[in-house]
Structure formats: C-alpha cells, structure tokens
C-alpha cells in the first residue's frame, strides 16, 4: 500500500459531473453520481454513503450534503501476489443539493457527516465530518463553514471513536459563556484521556 502520513489533508474541488439532472434541488440525493474523479476524461460512478440536511449557504433553504465514494483499482502491488492485493485510490466527495455550493473532496477516508448548526453566528449551518487514514481509527473531526462562496475550517480535533465513544454530534458545541468560543472533546495522544477544551472560532486554543 502507498505510504500515508497521519496528517490529514482536505481540499475543496469543483468536479465536472455528467448530467445536470444529478444535481437537483430535491430533498433526497441520488443513489449515485458520475464524476471524473481522476481527471482522465472518463466518468466514474460514485455511490452514496450517507447524507444530512441543512442550510449550508444561508439562503434560507434546506439542501442535502451527501457523501459519495468511488474506489479505483490502480495496479497490483507486486505481480506475483494474489489478485486481491491491489493498490487503490479512494475518492470521497461531499456534494450539495444546491449546486452553487462548492463540493468538498477528502484525500483519505471520510464518514459521519454532521449538521453542526450555526456555530459561528453567520446565519449558515456548519458541516462536520470525520476524516482518517484508511487502516487506522485515528483521524480528525473537522467542522467547516461556507463563507464568501468558499469553505473555511472552524475547528479540527484529533479523534478515535474506539477511545472516545461520544456521539459525533457532541464533539463540538458552542461555549455558553462566550459566543466566540467553542468547546471540543479532544483525545490526548499520550494517555488517551478525553479533554473538554475551549477553542476560539478559528480553532486556536484559548
């Protein structure tokens, strides 16, 4: 398998899709979409994994945020290994019912979409999701906000659901004592202790 670092990377991408009808304003997303995931001019089928509803751009209308997944077999790791020992490329995309909202592409595995509500008081629902390296449960839980037609990260915390069984909806919440702060449940890597930590809206410790 390819060498992967623990650092998780996010990138926001606009990906061409085949068929405008796949990006409707319906309340429920389609079961699959076609994306040119690796920019080779060929449409790849991406299947839905999960979705949440929310007003992510602040226009007063509800739209879905749907997570789609495509796995592509690249090549055998070694020619003399059995057929199932292959190197894979994984593509995860979060696509929105309102096609004016930029899609979110994640480099590694992605799951657990959460509508976090309006954490930064800008009139938009914020979107949380878990992003991790393929064969480990250590990862990051990130919350993004759609500001000025682009996504920005409000907060990112280390997470391992084996050590912290709290529901994902409880990992980040508003600080009742300060509207500019958030309270996050983060795992301390040295001993696995779960800490309630106060951070500023931009993710900096306070």
């Amino acid at each position: 398998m390819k060498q992967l670092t623990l650092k998780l990377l996010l990138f926001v991408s606009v990906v061409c899709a085949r068929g405008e009808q796949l990006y409707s304003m319906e309340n429920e997303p389609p079961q699959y979409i076609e994306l040119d995931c690796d920019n080779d001019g060929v449409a790849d089928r991406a299947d839905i994994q999960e979705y949440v509803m929310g007003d992510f751009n602040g226009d007063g209308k509800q739209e879905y945020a749907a997570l789609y997944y495509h796995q592509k077999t690249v090549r055998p790791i070694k020619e003399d290994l059995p057929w199932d020992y292959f190197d894979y490329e994984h593509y995860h995309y979060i696509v929105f019912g309102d096609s004016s909202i930029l899609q979110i592409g994640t480099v590694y595995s992605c799951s657990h979409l959460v509508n976090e509500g309006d954490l930064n008081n800008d009139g938009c629902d914020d979107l949380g999701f878990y992003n991790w390296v393929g064969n480990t449960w250590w990862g990051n839980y990130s919350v993004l906000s759609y500001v000025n037609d682009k996504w920005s990260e409000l907060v990112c915390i280390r997470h391992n659901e084996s050590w912290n069984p709290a529901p994902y909806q409880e990992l980040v919440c508003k600080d009742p004592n300060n509207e500019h702060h958030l309270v996050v449940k983060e795992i301390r890597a040295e001993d696995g202790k779960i800490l309630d930590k106060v951070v500023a809206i931009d993710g900096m410790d306070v």
Side-chain angles (χ1 to χ4, degrees):
M1 291 292 178
K2 295 178 180 177
Q3 293 294 322
L4 299 177
T5 60
L6 184 59
K7 182 179 181 181
L8 301 180
L9 305 176
L10 301 178
F11 65 94
V12 176
S13 59
V14 179
V15 184
C16 295
R18 180 181 295 176
E20 289 295 326
Q21 71 276 9
L22 296 178
Y23 296 90
S24 66
M25 296 297 290
E26 299 296 330
N27 286 335
E28 292 191 6
Q31 293 302 299
Y32 72 92
I33 57 176
E34 292 183 335
L35 300 171
D36 183 3
C37 294
D38 48 7
N39 297 312
D40 62 357
V42 178
D44 303 299
R45 172 170 169 153
D47 294 290
I48 193 168
Q49 304 296 298
E50 57 183 285
Y51 74 95
V52 295
M53 301 296 297
D55 178 13
F56 299 104
N57 61 355
D59 65 357
K61 301 176 182 179
Q62 292 283 306
E63 62 268 344
Y64 61 75
L67 176 64
Y68 288 91
Y69 171 67
H70 171 73
Q71 176 179 280
K72 182 174 181 178
T73 303
V74 182
R75 60 188 178 279
I77 300 174
K78 294 182 179 179
E79 295 299 331
D80 57 345
L81 288 178
W83 67 270
D84 56 341
Y85 283 81
F86 282 89
D87 197 1
Y88 295 103
E89 290 181 355
H90 302 272
Y91 300 91
H92 290 82
Y93 293 97
I94 303 173
V95 175
F96 297 86
D98 184 340
S99 59
S100 69
I101 302 176
L102 290 179
Q103 299 171 25
I104 301 171
T106 69
V107 175
Y108 300 131
S109 299
C110 180
S111 66
H112 295 89
L113 300 183
V114 175
N115 179 345
E116 289 284 356
D118 185 5
L119 294 176
N120 57 350
N121 306 304
D122 65 349
C124 304
D125 289 331
D126 303 314
L127 181 65
F129 55 89
Y130 184 47
N131 196 218
W132 78 99
V133 176
N135 58 357
T136 176
W137 284 110
W138 274 108
N140 288 345
Y141 182 72
S142 300
V143 179
L144 306 186
S145 180
Y146 201 60
V147 180
N148 298 323
D149 298 323
K150 63 180 181 180
W151 291 101
S152 61
E153 189 173 82
L154 289 183
V155 66
C156 179
I157 61 174
R158 286 172 56 83
H159 184 63
N160 182 328
E161 64 180 17
S162 298
W163 290 13
N164 182 0
Y168 282 79
Q169 293 85 347
E170 297 178 6
L171 296 181
V172 179
C173 63
K174 288 186 175 181
D175 183 348
N177 300 314
N178 190 321
E179 65 177 3
H180 301 293
H181 293 167
L182 302 173
V183 179
V184 302
K185 293 183 180 297
E186 188 167 49
I187 300 172
R188 190 164 60 191
E190 306 88 82
D191 56 11
K193 184 177 180 180
I194 300 171
L195 305 175
D196 283 338
K197 186 167 66 173
V198 177
V199 299
I201 291 293
D202 60 6
M204 301 297 291
D205 292 356
V206 296

